[in-house]
């Protein structure tokens, strides 16, 4: 985001992302914004994040979206206490960063995925403690009532009830993905255990600064594939096929010539 009203309750609480007049960095409906696909851009200083010394720009750049998208709900919903057990649904651009943040906070992490092929990477590369295949009923049954919270990063349509079953009483299922179809959410799985389903959208600038400093301190970066600007159309085609591990980053500085 690159704009807000600076006067509403949300702005006063450093939650500019929920300002009714928030301006998105690109494709905003209230004004024309072109995002960062440029050799330079101008933004209000309020929306500029100070970059930690020696922290890599390429691996750190995706955290300004994917990183804060998972960091904010981890903090807000109190899923940041050492010794907690938190599930992460989906090991993609959001999910792999969520695992890294949770582990840095001392949290036990279980990755929940439809793909058993991601188990080795989840545990050996990103440090997850365990792995559940969501399509395996026996595995899911074995995890019932074991988690303090779950960060659901998946944007594809999927059922919530099996995830709610994994929660302990008072557990929290937090949605940060955006499926196009409405969820089916029966009441009784929530009533029996006083469980909560919530959501979250990026974070305010103050919290984004906190997040990037935390990431630099703990050497947390996104897994990326650095590409030249000439590769962008091919990258978009691969992205449509989910053929990316786990973020494309465009090398603007070295490959985009100033107009």
């Amino acid at each position: 985001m690159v704009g807000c009203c600076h006067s509403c309750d949300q702005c006063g609480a450093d939650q500019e992302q929920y300002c009714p007049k928030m301006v998105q960095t690109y494709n905003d409906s209230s004004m024309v914004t072109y995002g960062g696909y440029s050799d330079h851009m101008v933004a209000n200083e309020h929306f500029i994040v100070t970059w930690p010394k020696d922290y890599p720009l390429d691996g750190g750049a995706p955290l300004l979206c994917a990183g804060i998208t998972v960091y904010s709900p981890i903090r807000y919903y109190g899923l940041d206490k050492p010794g907690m057990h938190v599930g992460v649904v989906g090991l993609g651009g959001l999910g792999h960063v969520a695992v890294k943040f949770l582990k840095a906070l001392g949290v036990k992490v279980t990755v929940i995925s439809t793909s058993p092929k991601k188990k080795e990477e989840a545990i050996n590369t990103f440090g997850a403690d365990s792995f559940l295949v969501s399509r395996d009923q026996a595995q899911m049954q074995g995890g019932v009532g074991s988690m303090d919270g779950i960060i659901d990063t998946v944007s594809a349509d999927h059922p919530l009830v099996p995830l709610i079953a994994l929660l302990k009483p008072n557990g929290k299922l937090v949605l940060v993905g955006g499926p196009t179809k409405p969820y089916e959410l029966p009441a009784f799985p929530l009533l029996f255990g006083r469980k909560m389903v919530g959501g979250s959208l990026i974070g305010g600038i103050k919290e984004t600064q906190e997040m990037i400093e935390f990431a630099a301190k703990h050497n947390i970066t996104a897994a990326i594939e650095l590409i030249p600007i000439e590769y962008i159309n091919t990258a978009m085609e691969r992205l449509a096929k989910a053929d990316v591990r786990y973020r494309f980053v465009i090398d603007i500085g070295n490959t985009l010539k100033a107009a």
Side-chain angles (χ1 to χ4, degrees), residues 93-152:
L94 295 173
H96 85 285
V97 177
V99 174
K100 290 186 176 186
F101 277 130
L102 289 165
K103 291 305 298 179
L105 290 164
V107 175
K108 177 183 176 182
V109 180
T110 295
V111 170
I112 306 159
S113 174
T114 59
S115 174
K117 296 179 180 179
K118 292 189 175 182
K119 180 178 181 178
E120 182 177 356
E121 190 171 26
I123 294 174
N124 296 332
T125 301
F126 301 127
D129 299 281
S130 55
F131 189 93
L132 291 178
V133 179
S134 58
R135 292 172 176 166
D136 188 319
Q137 293 186 3
Q139 288 189 28
M140 293 294 283
Q141 185 62 35
V144 166
S146 66
M147 301 178 189
D148 298 286
I150 296 173
I151 302 294
D152 187 345

Side-chain angles (χ1 to χ4, degrees), residues 195-240:
K195 300 174 183 180
M196 176 190 298
V197 176
S200 186
L201 175 73
I202 56 171
I205 295 300
K206 181 179 179 180
E207 190 174 44
T208 300
Q209 185 70 61
E210 173 191 316
M211 177 276 303
I212 210 71
E213 291 174 1
F214 181 90
K217 179 180 178 180
H218 294 276
N219 297 314
I220 296 172
T221 55
I224 68 164
E225 183 176 337
L226 190 65
I227 62 171
I229 191 67
E230 295 83 6
Y231 190 77
I232 188 66
N233 288 337
T234 301
M236 294 300 289
E237 292 170 1
R238 287 179 54 192
L239 188 63

Side-chain angles (χ1 to χ4, degrees), residues 23-135:
V23 179
Q24 298 180 68
T25 308
Y26 57 92
N27 292 341
D28 193 84
S29 59
S30 61
M31 64 178 66
V32 178
T33 52
Y34 294 105
Y37 299 95
S38 313
D39 60 311
H40 68 278
M41 63 181 291
V42 177
N44 184 294
E45 63 182 351
H46 179 82
F47 294 93
I48 301 300
V49 174
T50 301
W51 204 254
K53 183 180 180 181
D54 299 325
Y55 185 58
L57 282 170
D58 53 4
L63 299 192
L64 295 175
C65 184
I68 189 60
T69 296
V70 294
Y71 182 88
S72 185
I74 288 170
R75 290 298 200 186
Y76 178 79
Y77 287 99
L79 303 179
D80 55 356
K81 310 297 186 296
M84 277 186 159
H85 183 192
V86 175
V88 175
V89 184
L91 192 69
L94 295 173
H96 85 285
V97 177
V99 174
K100 290 186 176 186
F101 277 130
L102 289 165
K103 291 305 298 179
L105 290 164
V107 175
K108 177 183 176 182
V109 180
T110 295
V111 170
I112 306 159
S113 174
T114 59
S115 174
K117 296 179 180 179
K118 292 189 175 182
K119 180 178 181 178
E120 182 177 356
E121 190 171 26
I123 294 174
N124 296 332
T125 301
F126 301 127
D129 299 281
S130 55
F131 189 93
L132 291 178
V133 179
S134 58
R135 292 172 176 166

